[in-house]
C-alpha cells in the first residue's frame, strides 16, 4: 500500500514538473516575439482541436448555407466547389500554420503582417489587417447567433405550420444565444476547454445521428444526377461564372479555422500544437462536410419542395422526406442549431481574444480598458465590447433580415483578405530569402516582430513545396475575396444585392481615417513588452 502511494506521488510530481517545464518554455517562446504571458494556458491538443472543429463546423455550415452553392451550381456544382474550397482551405492553413509556428500570438494575422511588411507601410498595413480581423470575427459571431436563432424558429414552423416567425422573436432568440455564449466565456471560463472537448464529441456523434437514418431510410437520386447535373438559377452568362459565385457558400462553411490562432496564448506548446490542431480540424471537417453534402444531394429527391421549405432551411424538409417521421425529423434538425449555438461560444472566445490583443497593441479606441483581464485571466472588457456590438448589430433584424445576411457575409471577405495579405507577404519573404533557420538566431533574442530578424518556427514547408503552397494559397484567396462581393443573381435588386463590399470597404475607409487622424500617433505595430539583448 505504501509503495502504491509513493508511486502515485512520484507520477504526480513528474506530471507537475513536466507541466511547469512546458509553461516555462511557452513563456520563453512568447518572450521571443516580444510578449509577456498574461492569459492562462488551459488548452491542450484535444481541447483546442475540439475548439477548432466546432468553430469551423463545416457540415453544420453546409446545411445552413446549402442554397447558395446549389442554386448557382446545382448538385454537381455543389460537390465540385466543395472539393475546390476544401483543397484551397487546406493550402491556406498550411501557409498560416507556418506563420503561427513562427509567432504564436493572439494577434495572428496583423502581427505577422507587421513583422514581414516593408518598413514604409508596416504600421498602416498591420493596422488595416487588424481591423479586418476584428470586423470579420464580429461578423462570424453574429452569423452563428443569427443562424441558430432562425433555425430554432424553423423547428417551430416544422411542428406548427400556422406559426409565422416575427422579426422581434428572432431578435430575442439571437440575444439569448449571445447570453449563453457570454455565460460560458465569463462565468465558466475555466471550464471552456472541457466544454469544447464535449462539443467535439457532439460534433462527430451528431453527424452520424443525422447521416445514418437519412441515407438508410430515404430514397436516392442517381449518381449521374448528383455528379453530372449543373444549374444556373442566378442567370449568369456562363455556367463557370455561376459556379464561382456559388462557391462562396462553401467558403463560408470553411471560414474560421484561424480561431485557434487567436487562442495561441492559452495553448500549451502553441508553436507546435496550433498548426497540428488547425490542419487536423480541416481534414476532419472536410471529410464530415463532404459526407454530409453527398448524403444530402443523394436523398434530396424533391429539390423544389426542399428549396421552398417554409422553415427557410432545405435540410429540414430533406430530413422529413427521408424519415417520413415528424418526430424523427425534428430530432435530427434540432442537432444543427444546438451545435451552431456551441459554435457561437467559440466565436465569441476567438473574437474577444483578437480584440484584446489588438487593444494591447493600441489598435482600438479605449485600448487601456480593453487590454485588461480579470482575476481568471479572461479579457472580460473585450468580451463585453464584442457582445454589445453583436447585440446592436442584431437590431438590423427588425428592419430586414436580408440586410443582416449581407452584413454578416462580410466575414468571408474580411477574414479572407487578412489571410491574403499574410500569405502574400510570406511568399514575398520566402522568395527574397528573408527568413532564417531558427538555429541562426540566439536563443534569448527577440525575433518575428517588427524590426527584428525573421526565423522559421518548428513547422514549415521547405523549398519548392513551401513556395508552391504559398503561391496556390495567394491565388485561391484572391479568387475568394473577389467573388465574395458578388450577388447571388444577375441584375440584383436592393434586397438581393450583396452588400459585403460596403462593409469591407467601409471598415477599410473608417480604419484608415481613424489611423490618419489619431491611431498613427498611438499604433506602432505589435508592442514589444521587453527587449532582450
Amino acid at each position: 500500500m505504501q509503495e502504491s502511494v509513493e508511486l502515485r506521488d512520484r507520477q504526480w510530481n513528474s506530471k507537475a514538473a513536466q507541466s511547469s517545464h512546458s509553461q516555462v518554455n511557452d513563456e520563453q517562446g512568447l518572450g521571443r516575439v516580444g510578449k509577456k504571458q498574461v492569459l492562462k494556458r488551459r488548452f491542450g491538443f484535444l481541447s483546442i482541436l475540439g475548439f477548432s472543429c466546432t468553430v469551423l463546423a463545416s457540415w453544420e455550415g453546409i446545411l445552413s448555407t446549402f442554397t447558395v452553392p446549389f442554386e448557382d451550381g446545382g448538385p454537381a456544382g455543389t460537390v465540385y466547389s466543395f472539393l475546390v474550397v476544401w483543397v484551397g482551405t487546406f493550402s491556406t492553413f498550411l501557409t498560416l500554420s507556418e506563420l503561427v509556428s513562427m509567432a504564436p500570438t493572439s494577434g495572428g494575422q496583423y502581427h505577422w503582417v507587421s513583422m514581414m511588411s516593408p518598413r514604409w507601410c508596416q504600421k498602416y498595413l498591420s493596422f488595416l489587417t487588424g481591423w479586418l480581423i476584428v470586423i470579420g470575427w464580429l461578423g462570424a459571431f453574429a452569423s452563428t447567433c443569427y443562424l441558430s436563432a432562425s433555425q430554432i424558429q424553423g423547428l417551430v414552423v416544422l411542428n406548427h405550420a400556422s406559426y409565422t416567425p416575427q422579426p422581434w422573436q428572432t431578435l430575442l432568440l439571437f440575444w439569448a444565444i449571445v447570453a449563453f455564449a457570454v455565460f460560458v466565456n465569463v462565468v465558466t471560463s475555466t471550464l471552456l476547454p472541457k466544454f469544447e472537448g464535449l462539443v467535439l464529441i457532439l460534433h462527430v456523434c451528431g453527424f452520424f445521428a443525422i447521416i445514418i437514418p437519412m441515407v438508410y431510410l430515404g430514397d436516392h437520386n442517381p449518381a449521374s444526377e448528383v455528379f453530372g447535373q449543373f444549374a444556373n438559377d442566378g442567370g449568369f452568362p456562363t455556367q463557370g461564372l455561376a459556379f464561382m459565385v456559388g462557391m462562396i457558400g462553401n467558403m463560408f462553411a470553411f471560414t474560421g479555422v484561424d480561431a485557434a490562432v487567436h487562442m495561441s496564448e492559452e495553448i500549451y506548446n502553441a508553436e507546435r500544437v496550433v498548426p497540428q490542431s488547425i490542419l487536423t480540424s480541416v481534414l476532419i471537417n472536410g471529410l464530415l462536410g463532404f459526407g454530409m453534402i453527398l448524403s444530402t444531394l443523394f436523398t434530396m429527391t424533391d429539390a423544389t419542395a426542399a428549396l421552398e421549405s417554409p422553415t427557410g432551411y432545405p435540410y429540414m424538409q430533406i430530413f422529413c422526406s427521408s424519415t417520413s417521421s415528424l418526430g424523427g425529423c425534428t430530432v435530427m434538425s434540432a442537432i444543427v442549431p444546438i451545435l451552431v449555438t456551441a459554435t457561437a461560444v467559440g466565436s465569441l472566445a476567438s473574437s474577444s481574444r483578437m480584440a484584446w490583443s489588438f487593444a494591447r497593441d493600441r489598435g482600438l479606441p479605449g485600448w487601456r480598458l480593453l487590454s485588461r483581464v480579470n482575476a481568471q485571466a479572461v479579457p472580460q472588457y473585450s468580451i463585453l465590447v464584442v457582445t454589445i456590438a453583436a447585440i446592436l448589430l442584431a437590431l438590423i433584424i427588425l428592419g430586414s433580415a436580408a440586410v443582416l445576411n449581407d452584413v454578416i457575409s462580410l466575414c468571408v471577405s474580411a477574414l479572407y483578405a487578412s489571410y491574403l495579405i499574410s500569405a502574400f507577404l510570406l511568399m514575398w519573404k520566402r522568395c527574397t530569402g528573408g527568413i532564417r533557420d531558427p538555429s541562426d538566431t540566439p536563443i534569448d533574442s527577440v525575433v518575428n516582430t517588427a524590426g527584428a530578424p525573421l526565423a522559421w518556427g518548428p513547422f514549415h514547408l521547405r523549398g519548392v513545396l513551401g513556395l508552391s503552397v504559398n503561391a496556390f494559397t495567394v491565388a485561391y484567396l484572391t479568387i475568394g475575396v473577389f467573388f465574395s462581393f458578388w450577388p447571388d443573381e444577375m441584375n440584383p435588386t436592393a434586397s438581393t444585392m450583396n452588400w459585403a463590399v460596403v462593409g469591407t470597404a467601409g471598415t477599410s475607409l473608417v480604419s484608415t481615417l481613424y489611423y490618419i487622424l489619431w491611431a498613427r500617433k498611438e499604433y506602432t505595430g505589435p508592442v514589444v513588452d521587453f527587449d532582450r539583448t
Side-chain angles (χ1 to χ4, degrees):
M1 181 68 178
Q2 182 66 25
E3 292 178 355
S4 176
V5 171
E6 291 177 354
L7 177 61
R8 185 178 60 192
D9 289 343
R10 285 197 299 270
Q11 291 174 340
W12 174 264
N13 291 335
S14 175
K15 290 180 180 179
Q18 291 175 358
S19 176
S20 176
H21 180 68
S22 175
Q23 184 77 13
V24 169
N25 287 341
D26 287 328
E27 292 181 6
Q28 290 176 341
L30 193 57
R32 288 261 286 170
V33 294
K35 295 297 181 184
K36 292 181 180 179
Q37 185 72 51
V38 176
L39 305 179
K40 291 184 179 179
R41 297 189 184 265
R42 299 186 176 99
F43 288 85
F45 173 74
L46 288 178
S47 55
I48 200 62
L49 175 62
F51 184 92
S52 298
C53 284
T54 53
V55 172
L56 184 59
S58 288
W59 71 260
E60 298 93 333
I62 289 297
L63 293 177
S64 301
T65 61
F66 179 78
T67 56
V68 177
F70 188 84
E71 291 182 346
D72 287 320
T78 303
V79 172
Y80 300 133
S81 66
F82 180 90
L83 293 175
V84 171
V85 171
W86 188 10
V87 173
T89 302
F90 190 74
S91 174
T92 298
F93 286 97
L94 277 171
T95 298
L96 298 191
S97 290
E98 293 184 290
L99 289 166
V100 74
S101 187
M102 292 170 65
T105 73
S106 298
Q109 295 95 298
Y110 82 84
H111 184 109
W112 307 333
V113 168
S114 177
M115 75 186 191
M116 295 186 296
S117 296
R119 186 174 295 276
W120 62 272
C121 64
Q122 172 257 327
K123 290 197 298 181
Y124 170 70
L125 201 56
S126 172
F127 184 80
L128 176 61
T129 303
W131 271 93
L132 287 173
I133 309 169
V134 168
I135 198 67
W137 270 106
L138 175 59
F141 178 50
S143 68
T144 53
C145 294
Y146 175 71
L147 287 173
S148 181
S150 59
Q151 287 168 353
I152 291 172
Q153 287 187 302
L155 285 171
V156 179
V157 173
L158 185 64
N159 288 271
H160 301 279
S162 60
Y163 169 71
T164 302
Q166 300 297 320
W168 64 268
Q169 295 169 331
T170 309
L171 178 66
L172 292 179
L173 284 170
F174 184 108
W175 286 352
I177 293 162
V178 169
F180 174 74
V182 172
F183 175 81
V184 176
N185 275 275
V186 176
V187 180
T188 63
S189 58
T190 57
L191 299 178
L192 183 59
K194 293 182 179 179
F195 174 83
E196 296 297 343
L198 173 63
V199 175
L200 175 60
I201 296 173
L202 296 178
H203 175 66
V204 176
C205 293
F207 168 80
F208 289 105
I210 289 175
I211 200 172
I212 292 174
M214 180 171 63
V215 173
Y216 182 75
L217 298 174
D219 295 329
H220 297 161
N221 290 316
S224 58
E225 180 177 322
V226 173
F227 296 106
Q229 181 176 321
F230 291 86
N232 183 4
D233 294 342
F236 291 98
T238 65
Q239 183 61 58
L241 184 57
F243 176 89
M244 300 302 291
V245 173
M247 189 168 66
I248 298 302
N250 285 324
M251 286 183 176
F252 176 81
F254 271 104
T255 301
V257 189
D258 62 310
V261 170
H262 304 300
M263 303 295 290
S264 292
E265 295 178 39
E266 298 173 65
I267 302 170
Y268 291 106
N269 198 15
E271 60 186 9
R272 289 182 171 84
V273 168
V274 175
Q276 293 169 359
S277 67
I278 62 178
L279 293 176
T280 304
S281 67
V282 172
L283 288 174
I284 292 175
N285 278 275
L287 290 171
L288 297 182
F290 192 55
M292 185 60 72
I293 275 186
L294 292 181
S295 301
T296 302
L297 292 173
F298 270 105
T299 56
M300 188 175 65
T301 53
D302 189 345
T304 302
L307 295 175
E308 296 177 356
S309 172
T311 65
Y313 289 95
Y315 73 83
M316 295 187 184
Q317 181 60 44
I318 295 170
F319 293 170
C320 287
S321 299
S322 298
T323 61
S324 300
S325 168
L326 181 59
C329 172
T330 301
V331 172
M332 292 166 64
S333 299
I335 294 173
V336 181
I338 290 173
L339 289 171
V340 173
T341 299
T343 298
V345 173
S347 294
L348 177 58
S350 184
S351 57
S352 63
R353 270 55 170 189
M354 173 57 210
W356 168 81
S357 180
F358 202 36
R360 174 181 60 176
D361 291 322
R362 306 178 184 181
L364 293 177
W367 58 267
R368 289 182 177 85
L369 180 65
L370 295 180
S371 59
R372 295 178 184 176
V373 298
N374 63 15
Q376 288 74 42
V378 174
Q380 56 184 3
Y381 293 109
S382 292
I383 292 176
L384 177 63
V385 166
V386 172
T387 301
I388 292 174
I391 288 174
L392 295 177
L393 186 62
L395 293 174
I396 297 175
I397 296 173
L398 299 178
S400 172
V403 175
L404 181 67
N405 276 328
D406 290 331
V407 171
I408 61 182
S409 70
L410 66 86
C411 72
V412 175
S413 56
L415 290 178
Y416 266 50
S418 73
Y419 304 160
L420 175 59
I421 297 170
S422 303
F424 177 81
L425 288 173
L426 178 62
M427 183 176 68
W428 173 63
K429 280 293 184 181
R430 193 172 223 135
C431 291
T432 57
I435 307 177
R436 308 177 183 180
D437 187 274
S439 61
D440 294 337
T441 58
I443 192 64
D444 59 347
S445 64
V446 172
V447 295
N448 297 335
T449 193
L454 298 182
W456 290 113
F459 178 89
H460 77 277
L461 304 175
R462 300 178 184 276
V464 176
L465 175 61
L467 182 60
S468 300
V469 168
N470 295 164
F472 179 80
T473 295
V474 169
Y476 167 74
L477 292 175
T478 301
I479 293 171
V481 171
F482 177 72
F483 281 102
S484 68
F485 300 133
W486 282 59
D488 295 338
E489 60 185 40
M490 288 292 292
N491 304 315
T493 63
S495 61
T496 59
M497 182 63 185
N498 183 350
W499 297 101
V501 64
V502 176
T504 305
T507 298
S508 302
L509 177 60
V510 170
S511 61
T512 299
L513 291 175
Y514 175 63
Y515 178 81
I516 293 172
L517 297 176
W518 181 259
R520 63 187 177 86
K521 305 172 186 177
E522 295 276 358
Y523 185 79
T524 59
V527 174
V528 177
D529 293 331
F530 50 85
D531 187 18
R532 293 182 175 185
T533 57

